[in-house]
Amino acid sequence: INAEYGTADSYSEAVDYLTTVHLAAPVYFIVGGTDDTEGTVLSRDRRHNPHPVAFAPPTTFWLLETNYDHWVPAPEIDNRRAWAQHHLRSFGKQSDFERAALANLAAVITTWPVENGNTAQQVFMNAKRGHFEVFAVYNGTAPV
């Protein structure tokens, strides 16, 4: 996938490719473009993309993916999604969020219960700024 995906000339080409390529296992692809309207979460199984979620500004200025399919309620015992959404919404309008985006995201994803004993990694990315960071979380309970 990396060799083919890396040759995409645009956000839409990348999304089209990742939507249709046959895979060995289910995966979440989080794709961001350089335009403020370009962002998609692709929840893929081996052959299909059953429930894509596209970025929808101005009502939503972020996308969130946790360990659970977004169209299925998260289990009550590990509902990181609800807490993360609550924190992200508390930042207000898009311009306020962008001013301190990395600090805001760090505050959200490192706050319990968003980060908990099952957290294995956290990712920050911004295609427009060329920013990509992955943090492995070693808490003694998450698989590495």
Side-chain angles (χ1 to χ4, degrees):
I1 285 181
N2 191 34
E4 186 68 29
Y5 176 65
T7 64
D9 290 325
S10 68
Y11 165 81
S12 59
E13 273 187 37
V15 170
D16 289 345
Y17 174 75
L18 293 172
T19 300
T20 58
V21 65
H22 290 259
L23 302 170
V27 66
Y28 297 114
F29 289 119
I30 301 168
V31 185
T34 57
D35 186 78
D36 292 343
T37 61
E38 295 176 334
T40 302
V41 174
L42 303 172
S43 304
R44 287 291 316 273
D45 62 23
R46 291 179 59 228
R47 299 198 182 268
H48 301 96
N49 182 34
H51 298 275
V53 174
F55 196 57
T59 57
T60 307
F61 49 90
W62 44 266
L63 288 172
L64 172 71
E65 182 56 54
T66 63
N67 295 44
Y68 306 104
D69 294 331
H70 59 270
W71 63 93
V72 177
E76 287 186 34
I77 195 167
D78 189 22
N79 194 357
R80 291 178 260 181
R81 181 189 315 148
W83 285 102
Q85 289 171 334
H86 169 76
H87 289 300
L88 287 166
R89 287 183 185 121
S90 74
F91 292 122
K93 62 185 180 179
Q94 182 172 356
S95 60
D96 293 338
F97 183 81
E98 287 178 350
R99 250 184 254 130
L102 290 179
N104 287 344
L105 287 174
V108 170
I109 69 173
T110 60
T111 301
W112 187 91
V114 178
E115 179 182 299
N116 64 32
N118 294 314
T119 302
Q121 73 176 10
Q122 300 163 331
V123 180
F124 295 94
M125 61 184 113
N126 183 319
K128 189 174 192 173
R129 296 188 180 124
H131 186 92
F132 185 82
E133 286 182 277
V134 178
F135 296 94
V137 178
Y138 301 100
N139 56 30
T141 59
V144 178

